[in-house]
Amino acid sequence: MEFTQVFEPLALDSLHDFALSRKEDGWRYVQTLAVNKDDGVDLVYSFMKNGALVNSVISDVPRDAEVPSISDAFLAAFVFENEIHDLFGVRITDIAIDFEGNFYRVSEEYPMTIISPEQLAAREKAAKIAAAKAAKERAAANAAEASAEAAAEAEKPSEDEEARKAAELEAKLAAMDPEKAAKVRAAMEARAKKGGE
Amino acid sequence: MGYASRSPWVIHYDGSSCNGCDIEVLATLCPGFDGERFGVVNTGNPKHADIFLVTGSVNEQNIDVVRQIYDQMVEPKVVVACGICACSGGVFHDCYNVIGGVDQAIPVDVYAPGCAVRPETLIDAIVAGVKVLDEKEAALKEQKRAAKKER
Amino acid sequence: MGKATVIPFGPQHPVLPEPLHLDLVVQDETVIDCLPQIGFIHRGLEKLVEKRDYNQFIYVAERICGICAMGHSLGYAETVEELMGVEVPKRAEYLRVIWHELSRIHSHLLWLGLAADAFGFESLFMHCWRLRERVLDLFEKTTGGRVILSVVKVGGVVRDIDGAMLREIVAVLEGLEAEYATIVSTLLTDASIKNRTVGVGVISHEEALDLSMVGPFARASAVNYDCRMLGRGAYGDLSDFQPILDTQGDCYARIKVRCSEVLQSIAIIKELVAKIPTGDIAVDVKGSPADGSQASNVLEQPRGECYYYARGNGSKNLERMRMRTPTSQNLAGMVAALKGCDLADVNMIILTIDPCVSCTER
């Protein structure tokens, strides 16, 4: 038995029929999960058969959509469907064992849908990094086209200098006893990190 | 030493602990550390217990359960917060469903930190708890005597 | 027939090691329905991925559950490695599996003890936990921790185990094997234990498949599935791996399966110690998971298959991390096993399922 995993799209309308056909074909129900998005959720349903793990992703389910329960086909799903209702506020209809919002008693309603300041900051940072990377690539492409030779010449010395210094240090470290060398390396890494921030 | 402190009976409740501290509480009373040789006995009945060992932090759903167990215990009683989650919330302190340490719900007498709390720390904590138990017992007796005199 | 009455069971209950609440609908002495209620340990740690970066989160992941701690850190690390396309050195894979199998032995011994306690066999409980202490001593010697190990990191492991220590692990396990044999023969041949467990809480093979059950609970009903047979990581280098199965599907079969799994884990560790390659124990992991990338993973925990899912958003923090733990998958099976049982058997049936509530609720 070999393990494989795939992610494939699924439409919300066909979810229930899809679950029934999975049941018919002898697949094992693995799990259901939700991922919070700005205006809705992604739902991931996983099934497994002979080592093949298939994750069916329903993208961008609107918050007010009604999602049919698959717990009539796979009873084990009732746990996750109640959980998704309580934490993400997704309306799932006809759950076999329906707790009607009392599965978890939490202090705030639908806690997983709240976008925390940390998450927002992380997203902004990621967007900035992506933008900077794109800009850099663009600039590099432009430079290469315009004056490839000159730019390369200008860049080279400083790079060479750094590489030479690093090589010298490596040689020195190799001569030291390993424990001390490891300490020096750790200190250098810490410094580099500090400088980077 | 008072009569309770010679053989303190403990009750254990798992707040929202990860089980790590719970199994260490049990391990403390099992062979290996053998807390029972000091007369420490685990009981499931709050009315029988002198020391309340709480693991894990409190949340919306279990805060009442912790309070109810504490209220059912008879005086004098001692609460030991076992593990860093019970002390302050620990690694989960900024989770959305964690209120904080056990001291948010009931008064705590001994804090035993650690993740997970080590059996050695727990034995120390119970010994410290026994001292508090004796003090509380003496204070109770004093109160009774004073009340008798007034009458 | 008497009137149906609802009996609340838990969360604080002498036979329950963990806060689990059940509403048992009872008619005379028979349980006719059961409604599990959870949420006492819900912390909401899946949302913590927003506050901790993917390297820090491994310490949160292993604190999902103190019994399955090693498995959770391993499963989380494997998922993030899959997400970022990191190749882990062979030696690290072997070390991970050695620790993981050790923690399976510790978990099963813990469980055997609790099961013995549930039918009032307290000395057997003590003996199981005495043996378990030796495994914990091995953990302490190799990692410094007793239950929370913190040895796995994204890209490998934090510590190596040297040759002398590996030989000591094998020696300790060999000593444990002999004493374990007497415990198992007591457990499996004692008439009073058989009286309490044979034919109790039966789940048929068809039911087990229908309820998508996992782990020893399913294998006791002859469901031939164990994530280790997928041959991932060091498991792929084992000469042979066959899941341990039983056909009866009752409490006794579940005890039998777990008893044999301890011996299987010892054999796996012995084989891996003999085969372990030399080399690095970790690779440097740099960068962040790409925006919108997703990965899933399954891992055999002591209690069964655990599913992990991660999605990146281009930053150091993951967009979403999700664990579907074996116990939450088995809740449907637990309800089915409890229906129709005697009230006095409830604790026995719950224990043989080996529920891990803090895993379930996270």
Side-chain angles (χ1 to χ4, degrees):
Chain A
M1 225 193 260
E2 205 181 325
F3 178 74
T4 53
Q5 58 165 314
V6 285
F7 287 88
E8 54 180 40
L10 179 69
L12 181 56
D13 306 334
S14 54
L15 167 64
H16 194 255
D17 293 337
F18 176 76
L20 290 178
S21 74
R22 283 291 197 226
K23 178 93 183 179
E24 196 96 319
D25 298 342
W27 287 71
R28 186 172 60 84
Y29 170 75
V30 177
Q31 64 90 34
T32 305
L33 69 89
V35 183
N36 189 47
K37 295 280 257 312
D38 287 337
D39 39 352
V41 290
D42 284 1
L43 293 175
V44 183
Y45 289 81
S46 306
F47 297 90
M48 201 171 190
K49 191 181 182 182
N50 297 333
L53 178 62
V54 178
N55 301 290
S56 304
V57 185
I58 308 177
S59 296
D60 298 309
V61 178
R63 275 196 209 291
D64 54 355
E66 275 195 3
V67 178
S69 167
I70 61 163
S71 56
D72 52 344
F74 299 98
L75 182 65
F78 85 91
V79 181
F80 316 111
E81 291 180 338
N82 277 299
E83 187 176 307
I84 290 170
H85 172 270
D86 284 13
L87 302 183
F88 289 88
V90 177
R91 274 198 296 154
I92 299 181
T93 51
D94 305 319
I95 308 178
I97 304 177
D98 198 343
F99 287 80
E100 288 161 359
N102 294 310
F103 197 57
Y104 287 128
R105 208 197 309 162
V106 287
S107 45
E108 44 194 313
E109 205 167 45
Y110 312 139
M112 293 298 279
T113 59
I114 294 162
I115 296 171
S116 61
E118 287 88 354
Q119 195 178 13
L120 215 59
R123 278 190 196 167
E124 274 167 16
K125 201 174 160 191
K128 257 186 212 162
I129 292 170
K133 206 175 162 192
K136 208 173 166 188
E137 272 165 14
R138 233 178 297 129
N142 286 346
E145 267 171 38
S147 54
E149 290 294 307
E153 280 306 309
E155 287 286 320
K156 232 177 183 173
S158 74
E159 260 181 35
D160 270 353
E161 181 68 8
E162 259 182 44
R164 193 183 56 75
K165 264 189 191 162
E168 239 175 52
L169 207 91
E170 270 308 313
K172 232 190 234 170
L173 285 178
M176 275 186 205
D177 76 305
E179 227 182 286
K180 201 172 169 192
K183 268 185 200 157
V184 172
R185 273 210 190 93
M188 271 170 46
E189 261 168 36
R191 206 184 303 148
K193 225 187 210 168
K194 237 183 190 171
E197 268 169 10
Chain B
M1 256 181 134
Y3 65 89
S5 56
R6 273 175 231 262
S7 171
W9 283 32
V10 298
I11 182 169
H12 163 229
Y13 181 72
D14 171 356
S16 61
S17 147
C18 74
N19 275 343
C21 295
D22 306 314
I23 55 179
E24 291 296 62
V25 167
L26 278 179
T28 308
L29 301 173
C30 283
F33 295 91
D34 201 6
E36 285 199 359
R37 76 198 133 126
F38 304 119
V40 183
V41 177
N42 191 12
T43 169
N45 189 334
K47 300 264 177 200
H48 296 175
D50 305 302
I51 299 182
F52 187 15
L53 304 174
V54 200
T55 53
S57 47
V58 291
N59 64 29
E60 206 67 15
Q61 191 160 343
N62 72 24
I63 191 162
D64 295 331
V65 183
V66 172
R67 281 197 185 121
Q68 280 157 16
I69 296 173
Y70 179 77
D71 290 342
Q72 285 180 66
M73 289 171 68
V74 289
E75 294 284 354
K77 56 192 170 189
V78 165
V79 177
V80 179
C82 308
I84 192 65
C85 291
C87 294
S88 69
V91 68
F92 302 118
H93 70 98
D94 49 358
C95 279
Y96 60 79
N97 203 34
V98 169
I99 297 177
V102 179
D103 49 10
Q104 304 289 319
I106 51 174
V108 173
D109 298 288
V110 184
Y111 292 86
C115 184
V117 60
R118 298 185 69 88
E120 294 93 329
T121 316
L122 270 176
I123 292 175
D124 282 353
I126 291 172
V127 170
V130 161
K131 214 177 257 171
V132 180
L133 201 63
D134 278 340
E135 284 164 16
K136 285 190 175 178
E137 198 185 345
L140 269 180
K141 268 188 189 151
E142 193 54 42
Q143 252 177 7
K144 264 188 198 159
R145 216 174 288 139
K148 227 180 206 173
K149 242 183 217 168
E150 261 175 43
R151 252 191 291 149
Chain C
M1 278 294 239
K3 211 172 85 205
T5 323
V6 178
I7 298 185
F9 189 82
Q12 200 273 333
H13 193 283
V15 305
L16 283 180
E18 285 186 278
L20 175 73
H21 179 89
L22 295 172
D23 281 328
L24 301 169
V25 183
V26 176
Q27 198 159 37
D28 295 330
E29 283 296 308
T30 311
V31 177
I32 54 171
D33 203 358
C34 151
L35 194 65
Q37 262 182 23
I38 61 172
F40 291 93
I41 321 189
H42 180 62
R43 290 152 285 183
L45 61 81
E46 283 176 2
K47 203 165 169 58
L48 269 189
V49 285
E50 294 163 11
K51 299 181 182 173
R52 317 268 198 272
D53 73 30
Y54 68 82
N55 281 320
Q56 294 166 334
F57 190 74
I58 196 159
Y59 301 105
V60 178
E62 69 184 334
R63 282 163 177 79
I64 293 169
C65 167
I67 305 174
C68 331
M70 178 63 207
H72 280 306
S73 58
L74 177 54
Y76 169 79
E78 280 180 353
T79 314
V80 176
E81 283 152 9
E82 173 87 37
L83 195 65
M84 299 176 66
V86 177
E87 190 83 24
V88 179
K90 230 16 206 176
R91 187 175 175 87
E93 280 185 347
Y94 273 67
L95 290 172
R96 283 174 170 189
V97 170
I98 288 172
W99 274 310
H100 185 46
E101 290 302 323
L102 275 174
S103 71
R104 191 185 313 277
I105 298 172
H106 123 72
S107 173
H108 279 1
L109 280 173
L110 181 145
W111 173 82
L112 282 176
L114 289 179
D117 196 43
F119 39 67
F121 206 150
E122 204 176 331
S123 59
L124 192 58
F125 161 64
M126 291 289 183
H127 277 296
C128 289
W129 280 58
R130 178 175 60 82
L131 284 186
R132 180 178 158 267
E133 281 294 326
R134 296 205 200 144
V135 181
L136 296 190
D137 286 346
L138 288 178
F139 281 146
E140 201 168 351
K141 269 192 173 171
T142 51
T143 70
R146 276 167 54 86
V147 288
I148 307 260
L149 306 180
S150 301
V151 281
V152 180
K153 67 172 179 179
V154 177
V157 289
V158 177
R159 282 162 189 266
D160 204 349
I161 308 181
D162 62 20
M165 191 63 224
L166 283 173
R167 281 190 294 279
E168 190 181 327
I169 290 177
V170 172
V172 168
L173 290 181
E174 271 166 359
L176 193 142
E177 227 174 337
E179 282 185 62
Y180 179 69
T182 57
I183 288 185
V184 169
S185 73
T186 314
L187 255 171
L188 295 182
T189 54
D190 189 273
S192 60
I193 294 179
K194 276 190 173 169
N195 284 341
R196 294 252 1 224
T197 55
V198 174
V200 174
V202 178
I203 293 279
S204 68
H205 178 65
E206 290 70 29
E207 258 181 306
L209 288 176
D210 190 50
L211 297 169
S212 327
M213 282 163 29
V214 292
F217 187 24
R219 288 195 286 276
S221 303
V223 175
N224 188 13
Y225 176 64
D226 184 318
C227 297
R228 291 177 285 177
M229 68 204 254
L230 300 173
R232 307 176 63 212
Y235 290 118
D237 296 350
L238 292 175
S239 55
D240 181 40
F241 180 84
Q242 291 299 330
I244 288 165
L245 304 178
D246 202 283
T247 50
Q248 297 305 311
D250 56 2
C251 288
Y252 186 67
R254 300 198 267 274
I255 294 177
K256 245 164 68 182
V257 167
R258 288 201 184 84
C259 282
S260 311
E261 282 193 358
V262 172
L263 297 174
Q264 186 185 35
S265 289
I266 294 177
I268 290 175
I269 294 171
K270 277 188 190 164
E271 186 176 346
L272 291 183
V273 166
K275 282 184 180 171
I276 191 166
T278 52
D280 288 338
I281 55 162
V283 288
D284 274 350
V285 179
K286 288 205 177 92
S288 317
D291 191 9
S293 60
Q294 44 188 354
S296 61
N297 179 27
V298 287
L299 177 96
E300 189 73 17
Q301 293 267 20
R303 283 156 190 77
E305 174 211 67
C306 189
Y307 169 96
Y308 298 83
Y309 171 88
R311 183 185 284 195
N313 61 4
S315 75
K316 283 254 177 204
N317 297 54
L318 297 174
E319 178 70 21
R320 177 89 167 101
M321 181 70 220
R322 155 90 179 161
M323 303 86 179
R324 194 279 289 142
T325 58
T327 307
S328 47
Q329 184 81 350
N330 282 339
L331 277 180
M334 187 175 87
V335 172
L338 284 173
K339 268 184 199 172
C341 78
D342 288 342
L343 182 60
D345 284 331
V346 168
N347 65 343
M348 199 62 237
I349 293 171
I350 293 178
L351 262 163
T352 53
I353 287 154
D354 198 5
C356 182
V357 181
S358 68
C359 270
T360 312
E361 306 183 3
R362 302 172 306 280

